[in-house]
Every structure is written in C-alpha cells, then in structure tokens.
Amino acid sequence: NSKVIQTPRYLVKGQGQKAKMRCIPEKGHPVVFWYQQNKNNEFKFLINFQNQEVLQQIDMTEKRFSAECPSNSPCSLEIQSSEAGDSALYLCASGGQANTEVFFGKGTRLTVV
Amino acid sequence: GDQVEQSPSALSLHEGTGSALRCNFTTTMRAVQWFQQNSRGSLINLFYLASGTKENGRLKSTFNSKESYSTLHIRDAQLEDSGTYFCAAIASSSFSKLVFGQGTSLSVVP
C-alpha cells in the first residue's frame, strides 16, 4: 500500500566508510521522515523534513549524518563515517500535511563490517 | 520524553482465535497508527486513527486520547497474520514525529 521507494535495499560498508541511502517519497507528500530500527526492533527517529526544510533532528544526525530532501530529486541520508553500531534497518516515510497518516518504504538494511 | 508502552511483547494464537494488543501513552497523543512488519522488514499500514474506532476485515482498532490508550483486536487469526505489530503515536508537540511502541511478535499456529 506504500509508494515510498528506498534504495538500495541492502548496503554493506566498512567502518569509517560513507554510507548513503535514498528515498523517493510518495508523490504529493511534503513531509519526509527517517527512522533507524535496530536488531531489538527499537525505532529511533533521526530527522524529518517539510518540503526541503529540516523540521527536527536528533544530535546524532546533526553530528554524524548528512541529510537532504532537494526539490525534484530523491531525499538522501548519508552516514559520514560508518560505525559498527550503525548497522540497522533505515526506514524512510512520507506523509501529507502535519499529523496525517505516514507510509513507509521497504527500508535499507545497512551492515557495517 | 513521550513514551508508548505496548503489550504483550509476544503472543501465540491458534488459527481461528483472537486477541487484543494494547498501547498505553504517557502523554497526550493526537493520533495513532498501527503497522504490521513482515519478515522482510516492510511496515504495512493497518490503521490511522485520530479518535474512535475503525474496523477492517478481521481487525479492529480503537484510540482513546483522553484515557491515553489504543487497542488492536484481531479475530479469526490466520497464519498470514504472523509478524510483528507496532503502534506508533503522534504527540501533540512533535512536528508529526511518530513514537513507536516496543512491538508485539505474533505467531499464529495451526
């Protein structure tokens, strides 16, 4: 039921390498979210955008990640220097105006070796 | 911070039976979503509620903002219902950010 497209589905990186993942939100959805789901099924909010502007982000994202949602291009989330603890499922979601239903992509599973 | 407490953490049902999952909220939430996550990690939307009750097939969900809880009822469980179920709520002050529960791992057995 979701039209959010995430690429790649799987990503393997060495420690210290950059890891970049992309997300195409559902057409017409101005709000985009990134979440990290760890092996214990815990979700961590990373950042959200409304159109091209950052609404909120956590400290980790601000310090270690680079994220953007340019107009007419996929959104992206890039870890600048991968660590073993970054191994997780990264989920992108999009939604209409604030506080409406959100839809998730299939995720990018990152393994840092 | 905003907390969502989901129970039970695991549930085993025989085909044809039913049960309920519950999420309690520690703060006022303006809406809740329920998802099923399959074995490949995909999150499937089940319900979005800003209030009241919705029903879809064998599933029914209720959100009571004043009493700070939401429930998901499954009846006549089928094998394909197996998976992990999450509630996720939007707090009043959160720029639409979803706060997830811990998940319920549902196993439906013959």
Side-chain angles (χ1 to χ4, degrees):
Chain A
N1 57 12
S2 171
K3 299 180 181 67
V4 178
I5 299 171
Q6 286 190 249
T7 56
R9 291 295 307 277
Y10 300 92
L11 192 55
V12 180
K13 293 291 179 181
Q15 293 191 51
Q17 289 187 315
K18 292 190 177 187
K20 188 168 188 174
M21 51 207 90
R22 292 177 176 82
C23 171
I24 301 175
E26 197 163 321
K27 191 174 180 181
H29 282 184
V31 183
V32 174
F33 306 81
W34 287 96
Y35 288 84
Q36 179 196 66
Q37 186 183 21
N38 65 21
K39 61 182 180 182
N40 296 321
N41 275 342
E42 296 161 336
F43 287 81
K44 180 184 287 183
F45 166 82
L46 297 177
I47 189 169
N48 59 351
F49 294 84
Q50 181 152 349
N51 298 313
Q52 292 78 52
E53 300 298 318
V54 175
L55 292 176
Q56 279 184 303
Q57 62 181 321
I58 62 172
D59 278 353
M60 177 180 81
T61 307
E62 194 167 7
K63 289 176 183 172
R64 300 187 49 237
F65 291 52
S66 175
E68 61 177 2
C69 263
S71 60
N72 301 317
S73 291
C75 298
S76 63
L77 181 72
E78 183 175 38
I79 305 173
Q80 296 301 300
S81 178
S82 300
E83 301 173 357
D86 296 327
S87 295
L89 180 65
Y90 289 82
L91 290 158
C92 174
S94 71
Q97 295 305 316
N99 304 321
T100 58
E101 188 173 9
V102 300
F103 296 87
F104 282 83
K106 295 184 189 300
T108 293
R109 191 169 295 280
L110 172 66
T111 303
V112 181
V113 297
Chain B
D2 302 325
Q3 297 275 355
V4 177
E5 296 163 5
Q6 185 173 344
S7 61
S9 58
L11 181 61
S12 181
L13 293 176
H14 286 285
E15 273 186 294
T17 64
S19 190
L21 286 56
R22 184 177 175 108
C23 285
N24 292 323
F25 312 120
T26 59
T27 188
T28 301
M29 300 296 186
R30 61 175 76 194
V32 67
Q33 286 192 239
W34 285 91
F35 300 92
Q36 179 193 26
Q37 189 170 38
N38 63 22
S39 58
R40 287 165 293 176
S42 296
L43 282 166
I44 299 162
N45 287 39
L46 300 176
F47 292 102
Y48 170 87
L49 299 106
S51 66
T53 297
K54 288 185 178 179
E55 195 162 353
N56 183 5
R58 296 178 292 100
L59 301 178
K60 183 170 75 172
S61 182
T62 294
F63 173 45
N64 188 321
S65 176
K66 285 185 181 175
E67 296 187 20
S68 297
Y69 75 89
S70 178
T71 57
L72 177 69
H73 290 258
I74 302 173
R75 63 175 175 83
D76 187 24
Q78 303 297 305
L79 296 177
E80 60 265 28
D81 294 333
S82 295
T84 306
Y85 290 75
F86 291 94
C87 67
I90 302 172
S92 297
S93 58
S94 73
F95 292 98
S96 307
K97 182 178 69 176
L98 289 171
V99 181
F100 280 82
Q102 297 82 4
T104 297
S105 178
L106 172 64
S107 176
V108 181
V109 297

